[in-house]
Structure formats: structure tokens, C-alpha cells
Amino acid sequence: DQQVKQNSPSLSVQEGRISILNCDYTNSMFDYFLWYKKYPAEGPTFLISISSIKDKNEDGRFTVFLNKSAKHLSLHIVPSQPGDSAVYFCAARHGSGNTGKLIFGQGTTLQVKP
Amino acid sequence: ETGVTQSPTHLIKTRGQQVTLRCSSRSGHNTVSWYQQALGQGPQFIFQYYREEENGRGNFPPRFSGLQFPNYSSELNVNALELDDSALYLCASSPRGAGGHSDTQYFGPGTRLTVL
């Protein structure tokens, strides 16, 4: 049962344009959401997060939007740069208990063309 | 500030063998989580260690075990290796948050395990 889904395996955008990566989840107990970026042969790098009590969080070129009623979040990258080309993972943290384990989506490969 | 480090980088084992992977957490982080990432998939939670005790476990069999040491570094041990254990093994460290949850997790580069 895939609780966190990234339905687009890949996305290609032109440099300077907006990249929008999407993520859907099913479990209403998730209380914290994160986006990670991963280059080949490296571990995931933390990008940005959002608490379930907010609907938007912005950090430089990166903005994450959360729509709790739709159980949907998205990552916007503006403007996109060739160095942003990587695999992006959406992750959700389960709110109950104290483990805070992360449940990841399958990832979306972003290619930014010069 | 030193980031999360893992060793070895790559490892090749044969079916039935045992393997130990190591992780040094980021400075000031007392919680270590281990994930398995199969090709083309997102990372899957194996277990977490806090104050040298297992603090939550994912859907992995008992042949996956771990340790955390007083300096917060950690080991992942896998016994009786199977072909399907071939994957990237990621370690992530985090501080324990105010609400009791582990906070944002920071990942190491991973260990690529191949089982032949």
C-alpha cells in the first residue's frame, strides 16, 4: 500500500521556467512533509519542509504548498536551473508515536534543459 | 560541521553471508534511522535508534538488526543475505525534536550493497 505517491516519474522543463513537482498521500496522520533532492551516487539532500498546520512554506527559489483537504503537496522551483536536475523525493512523517519515521514517494526525475 | 558519513561505499557479498554497515551521525544528532533504497524506488524505513535502543521498526525481518553506540554512531547488520537485499542502504541522523519526534533527517551518501 503506497501511502505517498509521486505519479510523475519524470519532468522536463526549460531553464528559467517553473518546475512543479507533485505528491499525493493517503494517511491523514502525517504531520510533517519534506522534499529531498538526490543526485546519482549521493544520499538525499534535504530541501524544504512544511508542517501540516501550514499551507505554504518558501525558501529562496523553492516553495512547498500543502492542500490537506486534497491530501496533496507540491514543490515549486522558480526559476529552474540546470543544476536542479536530480531526482526529487517527497516524504511524509507519521504523527503518532515518537519514531518520526519517514515514508517516501517513488521519486520524480527532473531535467532542466539549458 | 561534519555531515553524516557511511562506510563502506560499496560492498559485494554472496548469498547467505553476513554484512555490517556503519554510520557516523551529524554532530549533535542523537537519533539515527536506516533506510533501504531499491533501484527506482524511494527509501524504505528499516529502523531507528535513539539513546542506544531501537525506537521503531519498519517491515523488515529480524535478520536486519542494528546497534547505536554512546557517541550516537550506528551499525546495520544483515544476516543470511538474500539476492533481494541488493540495494542502497542509507543512514540518516536527526536531533530529537521538542515534541518528542525526531526532527528533519539528514542523510549520508549511502552504502551500495550487491548480493551475488
Side-chain angles (χ1 to χ4, degrees):
Chain A
D1 178 30
Q2 192 76 28
Q3 297 186 67
V4 177
K5 291 184 183 179
Q6 294 176 256
N7 291 317
S8 298
S10 62
L11 175 68
S12 181
V13 301
Q14 209 64 37
E15 181 180 5
R17 298 290 187 99
I18 184 171
S19 295
I20 300 176
L21 296 102
N22 294 302
C23 178
D24 296 298
Y25 62 95
T26 58
N27 194 329
S28 57
M29 293 298 292
F30 291 147
D31 71 340
Y32 194 63
F33 301 88
L34 308 91
W35 284 93
Y36 286 85
K37 176 171 74 172
K38 187 178 186 300
Y39 294 118
E42 294 184 13
T45 302
F46 170 71
L47 264 180
I48 191 168
S49 61
I50 187 167
S51 165
S52 61
I53 62 174
K54 296 188 174 182
D55 55 21
K56 178 183 175 181
N57 187 28
E58 193 171 350
D59 183 2
R61 297 186 298 115
F62 303 92
T63 303
V64 56
F65 295 92
L66 175 62
N67 182 335
K68 283 184 68 177
S69 60
K71 293 190 174 69
H72 176 83
L73 69 156
S74 61
L75 173 68
H76 292 210
I77 306 173
V78 182
S80 301
Q81 300 173 354
D84 296 330
S85 298
V87 179
Y88 288 78
F89 290 99
C90 161
R93 186 181 75 182
H94 204 281
S96 67
N98 64 0
T99 299
K101 72 176 185 181
L102 296 180
I103 298 174
F104 283 83
Q106 310 95 306
T108 296
T109 300
L110 173 66
Q111 182 185 26
V112 180
K113 297 179 179 177
Chain B
E1 180 181 329
T2 306
V4 179
T5 60
Q6 292 185 243
S7 62
T9 307
H10 296 87
L11 204 50
I12 299 175
K13 292 284 190 178
T14 56
R15 198 170 47 182
Q17 284 189 309
Q18 177 265 342
V19 69
T20 297
L21 310 181
R22 294 178 175 82
C23 171
S24 291
S25 62
R26 193 163 165 172
S27 176
H29 287 188
N30 55 16
T31 303
V32 173
S33 304
W34 285 92
Y35 292 82
Q36 180 195 67
Q37 185 180 12
L39 205 60
Q41 301 295 317
Q44 277 203 301
F45 177 75
I46 303 175
F47 44 54
Q48 183 183 90
Y49 278 82
Y50 171 65
R51 289 185 176 176
E52 302 176 53
E53 290 194 358
E54 187 178 291
N55 179 49
R57 188 177 185 94
N59 190 25
F60 281 82
R63 59 189 185 84
F64 285 77
S65 63
L67 283 173
Q68 186 181 32
F69 300 99
N71 67 353
Y72 305 132
S73 66
S74 177
E75 286 182 357
L76 164 65
N77 300 290
V78 187
N79 293 322
L81 283 167
E82 300 177 1
L83 298 180
D84 284 349
D85 295 333
S86 296
L88 180 67
Y89 287 85
L90 295 161
C91 164
S93 77
S94 53
R96 178 55 66 99
H101 293 158
S102 74
D103 217 321
T104 300
Q105 297 181 21
Y106 295 87
F107 285 82
T111 294
R112 172 71 62 187
L113 173 65
T114 302
V115 182
L116 302 175

